Amino acid sequence: MKKAVYLLAGASLLHALPALAQSAPTQTAPVVTAKPQAENANQEVFSTGVAKGRDRLDSATSTSALRGSEAEKLGPRPLADILRTMPGLRVESGIGEGNANYTVRGLPLAAGGSKYMQIQEDGLPVIEFGDFFNFGADVFSRADFNLAQIESIRGGSASTFASDSPGGLINLISKTGETQGGSIQFTKGLDYGENRFDADYGGKLSDSLRFHVGGFYRWGEGPRNIGFTGYKGGQIRANITKQFSNGYIRVHAKYLDDRSPTFAPYFFKLTGTDSNPTIANLPGFDIRKDSVLSPYIGPVVTLDGENKLQKFPLKYGMHPVSKSVGLEAQFEVGGFTLTDRARYSANKGDFLRVFPNTADTVTAFAASQAGAGAVARYASGPNAGQLVPTNANGNGLLALFYMAETRARSLDNFTNDFRATRVWRLGEGNLTVTAGLYKAIQTLKSEWLHSAFDADVAGDAQTAMVNITSATGVPQTVDGYYAYGRGRTSKFRRIFDVKYNITAPYASVNYHVGKVAIGGSLRYDSGRVRGQLFGADLEGGRVGLVTQDMNGDGVITAPERSVAYLPLTQPAPVNYNYGYLSYSAGVNYRIAEQLSAFARYSRGGRANADKILFTPIVSTTDGSVADSKDKYDEVRQLEGGFKFRTSNATLNGTAFLAHADDHNVLNGSANRTFRSYRAYGLELEGSYRTGPFSVTAGATYTKAKITEDKLDPTLTGKEPRHQPAWTLQATPQYETELFTVGANVVTITSSYAQDSNLLKMPGFTVVNAFVQFRPVERVQLMVNAYNLFDKIGFFEISQSTVPANGIGSGRAINGRTVSAALRYDF
């Protein structure tokens, strides 16, 4: 009901603005148009995370922009792969279409998603908290032909112009029909199974009315061998803009229903030493192209959120469904620029993944579950019923895998951001004052469900489930299932039913006189968190195991004696409020027309959402949080740099020092963190163009350490996991009227696999090449190659040291995939 009231209020305001505009003086009011689509990646006007769009050389912020047309050259890619090409951002993907890890400037990684950087679409968050377990913001966002530009701001005023964004903002800006025309494109994988249609069109309906609509649909197996249609679905987005003499109103909508597989850490050969490990594929399993997903695995057999028997097919994968509608308006009224953005999104979906627990030789693995002399037989696949040979698949391995089904019943959110800005002439300069109010309501209703199974380690989509029987014939599995929970425990079987109600007033002042611009901003976020939790692993413990005949054969076997269920009659309340102040101040000096320097200090906060639920921080008695410092994490940043621009070249550099707190639960496991971090480094980005040749490049150096670990003091002083010293990217290209040829090159140097700082995870370089050929007007043929040289690279290795058996597990980049696309512009 409240969501409807808020949305109606926003609609009423937008409806009233044109009438107000008619009564306002018009002789001095400048004509306001909707934000224009970017014409080049170094556009002079930058609007994300600031009060009023201004020339980047007059802004004391570290910013980057990427045109949608440049992103399209990479081919249809997950958002994470596109954002990795932007300077300053640290992105770990490899999991699939969404739920990648994002961070910036040495700030700690979340357990998935983006904790300290907010991902926006057209100036509003996709979801309020971008690191919900298994449902990061990018799960509900797709890059397609609707994308005009991506803007990012690191540090700076991001913390005061958006909630929960102390590290920065990533803003996906849509086309809005300024340019008449559209495109249609068909893309086909040449060496992998994926097909995709993209299309968009926009233009004028009248002198004051324009529109844009676009989307995509795809289907196929995908970049890894899984043996079934893993990708199926798409997105459609549309907007319509009414232009007035002194403003505009825009209505926009989105429908996303897209299914894709999820990829977990997989097994590989890990030998050598901790400081210089040797990594190789296992026989019969290519870490670049294979997965444990296959037609012979699953479904997830478990009790659901109502303790009823359910079977969730493996094909569910990552399956978000999002329906949103929004209103946006901007008008000049009595010398003020009034801007309001409002959006309501109904979000739900599934996130089903399969990830490894332990692996060993056939004989040793069988004995670990059923004692000496245990027997392993295939439970599924073409060899069902046969003994598993000791050299199965050439690697002779069996493994225990967990299947996790996270079902989001509701991640609905409503957001409204209203601001008023006025520019006064003050002495020889201009004083810009902004005041705004942000309102958000975010729901979290999700279920965590699990089962576990035994299987071999086979590539080429041939992984099959395995039954283990003792030497005396006593079965330890049922149809390959080892447990109907996360192992034979009730751990991590949970229900979240929580609502976050957020109010944040904010204001900024900026004075620009001559070559100097000085300004500051502040924001106060207050939140009301209410709800309840269900789970056997709540603090204090609950009984969470029952005996149940899961396959209905009338016989109770070992797995069926420990079936995990939810204690639905024993909820734990969530009932607390939070509040924190963010502020930022900076100065910019325009040394010359082509050169400026800036400095800025910022303090921001990020409310701790689901990462503190199911921990001792939230009382299971009354739902309170005793220490206010546990309710949010603080980030403090000092930065300074320069910006240089000529007609054919740019060079920007920013040095930074960041301090951050982190309350987190790694990967939904029991590994809680309660830490402080420090990081310093340097961001560099530049571009150069001469004739048909151009290059854009970026480099980020980061040195980070854990300054305090309150739960494990032995980690104090260590480097945080997965933090490379250098991240480098460059995109050289040669473009003529007939063709474009180029490549995007990304290098990530080595980092520690875990916080213990023992095992070094090797660095890697990925080259993504593209060729565009335009034989006739409006027709384009493109060939795109991801990971052109088919390199092995890891974003994650599960082990902290080289294991004695030489078997590691990790999340690797995909191997080489080549696609071809045919496009027609009209």
Side-chain angles (χ1 to χ4, degrees), residues 127-151:
I127 55 177
E128 184 62 36
F129 302 104
D131 65 333
F132 276 143
F133 273 127
N134 297 326
F135 286 99
D138 61 349
V139 172
F140 296 98
S141 188
R142 299 288 186 272
D144 58 18
F145 283 5
N146 291 292
L147 183 64
Q149 175 153 297
I150 302 174
E151 293 183 350

Side-chain angles (χ1 to χ4, degrees), residues 42 594 644-652 686-690 695:
N42 300 306
Q594 298 175 332
F644 174 76
R645 180 180 65 211
T646 67
S647 59
N648 65 340
T650 64
L651 180 61
N652 303 325
S687 67
Y688 177 73
R689 175 180 291 275
T690 176
V695 60

Side-chain angles (χ1 to χ4, degrees), residues 302-441:
T302 186
L303 301 183
D304 66 7
E306 297 178 346
N307 290 326
K308 297 178 180 179
L309 179 62
Q310 289 287 353
K311 298 179 180 180
F312 299 99
L314 200 65
K315 69 178 183 180
Y316 273 19
M318 186 184 302
H319 186 191
V321 178
S322 179
K323 306 171 186 177
S324 71
V325 60
L327 298 168
E328 179 181 335
Q330 182 172 299
F331 285 93
E332 294 286 338
V333 180
F336 287 87
T337 301
L338 304 180
T339 306
D340 191 79
R341 294 184 177 93
R343 182 168 63 222
Y344 175 71
S345 298
N347 302 315
K348 64 179 182 179
D350 293 279
F351 186 90
L352 192 155
R353 61 194 177 106
V354 175
F355 55 98
N357 180 256
T358 59
D360 213 330
T361 63
V362 172
T363 300
F365 183 86
S368 71
Q369 291 191 358
V375 176
R377 294 181 182 273
Y378 284 108
S380 65
N383 299 315
Q386 299 180 22
L387 289 172
V388 180
T390 56
N391 65 340
N393 306 303
N395 54 56
L397 294 178
L398 295 181
L400 173 65
F401 293 93
Y402 292 147
M403 289 191 285
E405 157 70 4
T406 302
R407 169 151 286 192
R409 301 259 181 203
S410 171
L411 289 176
D412 298 355
N413 73 331
F414 169 79
T415 52
N416 191 93
D417 190 356
F418 174 77
R419 69 179 63 171
T421 299
R422 182 161 185 172
V423 180
W424 280 276
R425 186 70 178 175
L426 187 62
E428 296 297 320
N430 293 323
L431 179 68
T432 303
V433 178
T434 295
L437 180 65
Y438 176 81
K439 184 68 181 180
I441 298 173

Side-chain angles (χ1 to χ4, degrees), residues 173-228:
I173 299 173
S174 302
K175 298 176 183 177
T176 56
E178 287 92 343
T179 302
Q180 186 83 27
S183 303
I184 186 169
Q185 177 175 297
F186 175 67
T187 304
K188 183 172 182 60
L190 299 182
D191 60 350
Y192 68 105
E194 185 171 351
N195 307 280
R196 173 166 168 152
F197 277 107
D198 284 87
D200 79 315
Y201 187 77
K204 288 187 176 182
L205 296 172
S206 69
D207 289 342
S208 62
L209 195 64
R210 67 180 188 275
F211 77 101
H212 188 269
V213 61
F216 74 91
Y217 186 82
R218 63 178 172 180
W219 68 97
E221 183 180 24
R224 288 181 177 266
N225 301 319
I226 62 175
F228 57 89

Side-chain angles (χ1 to χ4, degrees), residues 555-596:
V555 178
I556 300 297
T557 56
E560 295 169 322
R561 295 189 189 99
S562 301
V563 177
Y565 80 102
L566 284 159
L568 298 178
T569 60
Q570 302 177 63
V574 179
N575 184 2
Y576 68 92
N577 300 329
Y578 67 84
Y580 61 86
L581 178 69
S582 302
Y583 56 82
S584 180
V587 59
N588 190 86
Y589 181 66
R590 191 77 174 252
I591 300 170
E593 180 63 26
Q594 298 175 332
L595 178 65
S596 67

Side-chain angles (χ1 to χ4, degrees), residues 711-771:
L711 300 181
D712 186 355
T714 65
L715 299 179
T716 298
K718 303 289 188 180
E719 290 186 19
R721 66 192 179 106
H722 307 178
Q723 178 58 68
W726 285 98
T727 301
L728 311 169
Q729 59 271 329
T731 306
Q733 55 185 310
Y734 188 89
E735 186 168 13
T736 70
E737 185 175 340
L738 182 63
F739 68 89
T740 302
V741 59
N744 170 251
V745 183
V746 179
T747 295
I748 299 173
T749 60
S750 64
S751 61
Y752 286 111
Q754 302 297 334
D755 295 326
S756 55
N757 288 186
L758 298 173
L759 177 62
K760 267 293 184 81
M761 192 162 57
F764 61 92
T765 296
V766 178
V767 177
N768 308 312
F770 55 86
V771 177

